[in-house]
Amino acid sequence: MTSALSDPTLERHFKGHRGAVTSVDFSCNMKQIATGSVDSCVMIWNMKPQMRAYRFEGHKDAVTSVQFSPSGHMVASASRDKTVRLWVPSIKADSTEFRAHTAAVRCVNFSDDGQTLVTASNDKTIKVWTVHRQKFLFSFNQHVNWVRCAKFSPDDRLIVSCSDDKTIKLWDKNSRECIQSFFEHAGYANHVDFHPSGTCIAAASTDSSVKLWDIRTNKMLQHYQVHSGAVNSLSFHPAGNFLITTSSDSTVKILDLLEGKLLYTLHGHQSSVTCVAFSRTGDYFSSGGADEQVMVWKSNFDCIKHGNGVKVQKKGTSTVRPPTSSSMARFPLNSDPSVLHCQTSEPAEHVNRQESQTASHAQSFSHGSHSRAAHSQVYRDPSISSSSTRQTQTTQLPSRHHQSDSHTSDGKVPSGIANALEHIIGQLDILTQKGQDADATTTEELASHTRRTSHTRDPS
């Protein structure tokens, strides 16, 4: 049976930064993309080919983080120069600057209502500000090392942060207290974010792993070990079914959270991939890297578009609802009572797609060439059509209804009874070659065995 998945395709290619790209974000209307770089500049790329990009200069050191406001009328940028700037994304490049921290600012993030900002810094603090007049509100001070990232939850009630102190902390914005800490043992998290449902978080770690925790039960839901280098960034699909990760191993990987497996490995960047973000509808995603390139990909992950504009899997549900503590333990989506195998091998099936060239140096898909400097490649994970030899155990995340092998609802005979009947038929075929007396006696015994077997539940 062929797979119904459609492969992601490279749609646009931008190059204008003079240093590694550190952050990327889409505007809400998909007309612009904002990027930050170690060249101290913010770039606004227009998706229409005929429109030129804007270069915003103002920061005195590397730009570490950029984000569009929910309305798209403003872009926030954080920098190693200890400041945050709010830009109007137009040719005038108007901006407001405020000194946010006493050390490099690593991350800036808008609340969902667009009224507040959260910043994370090497001064070990997380601070919350009003967007209007940039008024300081309060700070969190319990990390004991650099804070790499801080993000609001979808309902703006919580903030999640990660630090070089190997902890990921969950903060209540109203009580201003840390309500939960998750610990990284092998490395520390570079990036952390909320699932669109707000019920779980994902962390990209320097130990090459990606982990997802349920913040209601404080238990790990999934653990992926699919990269061969530090994981630098991640982004959830708006429907919650997919997670994209980027790594210092120069790849972008797409994870199916419903199935708990790796779907695609994308080779386009020539060195470390530092950032990634989905568009607001999930139709596109963009990646940036140390090779100074910004790539825009079309998702195509076997999706249909609903009336609200959000694309979801044809065979899945519109949102991912991580299970409650009881359902997670008793009703996983696989036949094993506690785990699901996550594919971690490097994909073997090579899928090539011709992308739309937008400039003379835009990369194209090719058959037979493996030079990533000249070509972008999409590898589909072999788990779509074949099994993997190297696996990691992970607990199934969300809630697609599952039917176990022993309780089929499609009219098939349970495998245990079917096997027993086949065995009996085989024995009868052998016995018919013997005398009638022996055949009659044995048939009576086998009929009795059949009656006992038909009442036996399939142990699988």
Side-chain angles (χ1 to χ4, degrees), residues 65-238:
S65 177
V66 295
Q67 192 192 21
F68 274 97
S69 64
S71 66
H73 297 151
M74 192 179 300
V75 174
S77 61
S79 172
R80 284 207 297 243
D81 66 9
K82 309 175 187 178
T83 70
V84 170
R85 280 182 176 264
L86 299 177
W87 308 82
V88 177
S90 67
I91 195 170
K92 292 182 179 180
D94 294 331
S95 70
T96 301
E97 178 191 58
F98 64 99
R99 187 179 178 90
H101 290 269
T102 59
V105 187
R106 289 275 187 172
C107 180
V108 62
N109 180 244
F110 281 98
S111 60
D112 192 62
D113 61 11
Q115 299 300 308
T116 52
L117 285 168
V118 63
T119 56
S121 171
N122 284 1
D123 65 10
K124 308 175 189 177
T125 68
I126 301 145
K127 294 184 178 181
V128 179
W129 314 79
T130 64
V131 173
H132 181 62
R133 296 186 178 179
Q134 301 83 55
K135 179 184 176 182
F136 170 73
L137 295 178
F138 55 88
S139 63
F140 300 120
N141 305 294
Q142 293 186 26
H143 281 297
V144 295
N145 208 329
W146 295 352
V147 186
R148 296 259 171 183
C149 183
K151 296 288 183 73
F152 282 105
S153 62
D155 62 4
D156 297 338
R157 187 176 59 87
L158 303 173
I159 293 172
V160 66
S161 63
C162 61
S163 167
D164 286 16
D165 63 11
K166 296 189 176 183
T167 67
I168 296 165
K169 292 186 181 293
L170 199 62
W171 312 86
D172 188 303
K173 196 179 78 169
N174 294 324
S175 67
R176 303 181 186 180
E177 294 180 350
C178 178
I179 58 176
Q180 182 61 38
S181 292
F182 303 93
F183 296 92
E184 291 275 7
H185 299 289
Y188 57 82
N190 277 319
H191 190 99
V192 68
D193 204 358
F194 281 93
H195 185 272
S197 67
T199 58
C200 67
I201 57 173
S205 179
T206 57
D207 67 0
S208 307
S209 71
V210 177
K211 302 180 183 74
L212 284 83
W213 286 276
D214 189 319
I215 63 173
R216 299 164 299 180
T217 62
N218 300 326
K219 294 182 179 179
M220 186 181 295
L221 292 173
Q222 294 183 346
H223 179 198
Y224 296 92
Q225 198 78 39
V226 294
H227 284 287
S228 59
V231 187
N232 298 318
S233 182
L234 51 79
S235 181
F236 282 102
H237 188 281

Side-chain angles (χ1 to χ4, degrees), residues 173-430:
K173 196 179 78 169
N174 294 324
S175 67
R176 303 181 186 180
E177 294 180 350
C178 178
I179 58 176
Q180 182 61 38
S181 292
F182 303 93
F183 296 92
E184 291 275 7
H185 299 289
Y188 57 82
N190 277 319
H191 190 99
V192 68
D193 204 358
F194 281 93
H195 185 272
S197 67
T199 58
C200 67
I201 57 173
S205 179
T206 57
D207 67 0
S208 307
S209 71
V210 177
K211 302 180 183 74
L212 284 83
W213 286 276
D214 189 319
I215 63 173
R216 299 164 299 180
T217 62
N218 300 326
K219 294 182 179 179
M220 186 181 295
L221 292 173
Q222 294 183 346
H223 179 198
Y224 296 92
Q225 198 78 39
V226 294
H227 284 287
S228 59
V231 187
N232 298 318
S233 182
L234 51 79
S235 181
F236 282 102
H237 188 281
N241 297 353
F242 301 99
L243 182 69
I244 293 190
T245 61
T246 66
S247 170
S248 297
D249 64 10
S250 305
T251 67
V252 177
K253 290 184 184 280
I254 302 165
L255 305 173
D256 185 333
L257 301 180
L258 293 177
E259 299 293 343
K261 66 183 180 182
L262 173 66
L263 281 184
Y264 293 101
T265 295
L266 279 57
H267 294 275
H269 291 278
Q270 300 173 38
S271 57
S272 176
V273 191
T274 53
C275 54
V276 69
F278 268 111
S279 65
R280 299 298 194 267
T281 60
D283 294 306
Y284 294 87
F285 61 94
S286 180
S287 59
D291 57 5
E292 305 175 2
Q293 298 183 84
V294 178
M295 295 184 175
V296 182
W297 308 78
K298 191 168 184 180
S299 302
N300 301 327
F301 309 143
D302 183 29
C303 292
I304 56 176
K305 184 172 286 189
H306 280 217
N308 59 4
V310 175
K311 295 170 66 179
V312 298
Q313 271 192 307
K314 292 178 183 177
K315 59 183 180 179
T317 56
S318 61
T319 59
V320 176
R321 296 179 180 85
T324 62
S325 57
S326 58
S327 65
M328 182 174 66
R330 299 176 185 174
F331 303 106
L333 299 188
N334 60 310
S335 57
D336 188 291
S338 61
V339 299
L340 180 75
H341 292 293
C342 170
Q343 302 294 338
T344 61
S345 65
E346 190 66 22
E349 183 181 350
H350 189 167
V351 182
N352 296 289
R353 287 292 181 114
Q354 184 69 33
E355 55 91 16
S356 300
Q357 290 191 337
T358 59
S360 60
H361 55 265
Q363 299 182 357
S364 62
F365 294 102
S366 170
H367 295 277
S369 174
H370 297 278
S371 172
R372 286 183 298 190
H375 300 89
S376 295
Q377 300 166 347
V378 179
Y379 293 85
R380 183 181 296 171
D381 186 77
S383 64
I384 297 173
S385 58
S386 62
S387 62
S388 171
T389 59
R390 177 169 160 244
Q391 296 177 326
T392 298
Q393 290 182 338
T394 175
T395 303
Q396 180 64 28
L397 175 64
S399 55
R400 184 191 300 165
H401 294 294
H402 178 75
Q403 297 164 340
S404 66
D405 294 336
S406 60
H407 300 294
T408 58
S409 61
D410 55 2
K412 295 182 180 179
V413 178
S415 59
I417 296 176
N419 291 336
L421 291 173
E422 289 176 2
H423 176 73
I424 292 167
I425 292 171
Q427 292 295 318
L428 287 172
D429 289 340
I430 295 173

Side-chain angles (χ1 to χ4, degrees), residues 26-33 44-48 51 68:
F26 284 88
S27 65
C28 58
N29 58 14
M30 256 294 295
K31 292 182 178 180
Q32 294 179 319
I33 296 175
I44 305 296
W45 310 92
N46 290 292
M47 289 297 288
K48 289 185 178 179
M51 296 186 67
F68 274 97

